[in-house]
Amino acid sequence: MTNEHPRTALVTGSSGGIGRGIALRLAGDGYRVLVNYFRDRAGAMETVDMIRQAGGQAICLEADVGDVEQVDRMFDRSAAEYGPMGVLVNNAGVQTWKALLELEVEEWDRTIRTNLRGTFLCTRKAARQMQSAGAGRIVNLGSGSNRIAFPRLVDYTASKGGIEMFTKVAAVELGPLGITVNCVAPGATEIERTRRESPDYAATWSAVTPLGRVAQVEDIAAAVAFLAGPEASFITGQTLFVDGGLFCRPVWPYES
């Protein structure tokens, strides 16, 4: 049985998309939310304003999650503003849409640095704060590429596979400190970016998803909120796929 963790939550990369949805949900659940961004300050401030207008508490924190010094400053400021961290959501992520043989080393490094190194740096810093409280929740964002290969997304797929294994070893090491570590792996999710990249995104992916629709940010946020809440106090080291059955669907040549 774990102690109650502090009601402060940091969501990295929450200036829009899934990160914003998670931040809004946690704020609605009564958390003081730290909205992290790297470049999109306007989007982050919009997230903060939405939380405050709904009666919640939130502040903006700028940091490149792949940079040690910036991560340290972000956590130091969060502790000064709101006290020890109770929940960390490692959501910040980037990707490169290129085939393996065309991918540049710099592109690979950028994705691994943000997605995997960033998850490591933020987890390490948060866990040190959570240790003092004797409790905490860490939720990492994975992907369908935790389960299957995504062609033309080799850097992203490698980073998300790494995040899943990082989740497991972190859960084993941090469990004795009262800290749970889990992974939420979204399927096809309709956000601003996916709508912009493919106008028929929802229709395309709904057609191959067993539940017949794509995910909305609220679906992902609900899973994160569950893992951050008291009902999940004995769940750790797990990956929860929120994909409508999409990535448990095999290639099946006999289907008409």
Side-chain angles (χ1 to χ4, degrees):
M1 184 175 179
T2 58
N3 298 324
E4 178 67 23
H5 53 276
R7 303 292 289 179
T8 297
L10 168 63
V11 184
T12 67
S14 48
S15 56
I18 290 174
R20 172 179 286 173
I22 293 169
L24 293 174
R25 172 58 191 262
L26 292 177
D29 287 351
Y31 287 91
R32 299 177 295 270
V33 179
L34 306 155
V35 175
N36 161 256
Y37 73 99
F38 180 33
R39 292 189 175 90
D40 186 9
R41 177 172 175 78
M45 285 305 304
E46 186 176 352
T47 302
V48 168
D49 289 343
M50 292 170 74
I51 291 171
R52 290 175 176 172
Q53 288 169 12
Q57 298 181 61
I59 60 170
C60 240
L61 294 175
E62 179 182 11
D64 172 0
V65 296
D67 184 281
V68 177
E69 293 182 356
Q70 292 187 44
V71 168
D72 285 347
R73 285 197 299 269
M74 175 172 65
F75 276 85
D76 290 346
R77 187 184 166 200
S78 75
E81 293 275 353
Y82 286 152
M85 186 77 57
V87 174
L88 166 67
V89 182
N90 285 307
N91 170 76
V94 296
Q95 64 185 39
T96 311
W97 182 258
K98 272 190 181 180
L100 169 61
L101 298 184
E102 298 171 359
L103 188 68
E104 300 294 339
V105 172
E106 295 78 12
E107 293 167 331
W108 168 274
D109 287 346
R110 170 178 172 264
T111 298
I112 298 299
R113 181 180 182 277
T114 301
N115 300 7
L116 188 53
R117 176 183 164 98
T119 295
F120 159 67
L121 292 178
C122 291
T123 296
R124 185 180 63 166
K125 194 72 175 178
R128 289 171 175 168
Q129 290 188 11
M130 293 171 180
Q131 182 177 12
S132 65
R137 301 278 193 271
I138 298 172
V139 183
N140 302 320
L141 266 290
S143 161
S145 63
N146 288 36
R147 180 170 278 164
I148 63 172
F150 280 14
R152 300 182 67 83
L153 284 172
V154 60
D155 55 355
Y156 182 78
T157 299
S159 72
K160 293 299 185 177
I163 285 171
E164 180 162 17
M165 292 309 298
F166 176 81
T167 296
K168 292 178 180 181
V169 71
V172 170
E173 291 200 24
L174 300 179
L177 305 178
I179 302 167
T180 67
V181 189
N182 290 290
C183 180
V184 168
T189 306
E190 188 174 26
I191 57 175
E192 303 95 321
R193 177 181 57 80
T194 54
R195 285 194 297 266
R196 184 171 62 250
E197 292 172 352
S198 176
D200 59 348
Y201 179 87
T204 298
W205 285 98
S206 294
V208 294
T209 299
L211 288 184
R213 68 173 179 89
V214 295
Q216 302 298 314
V217 294
E218 292 82 7
D219 297 309
I220 314 306
V224 172
F226 166 70
L227 291 172
E231 295 88 352
S233 64
F234 200 61
I235 300 173
T236 196
Q238 304 304 307
T239 295
L240 175 57
F241 287 88
V242 186
D243 63 3
L246 176 61
F247 294 115
C248 66
R249 184 187 183 115
V251 175
W252 188 247
Y254 304 108
E255 197 167 12
S256 58

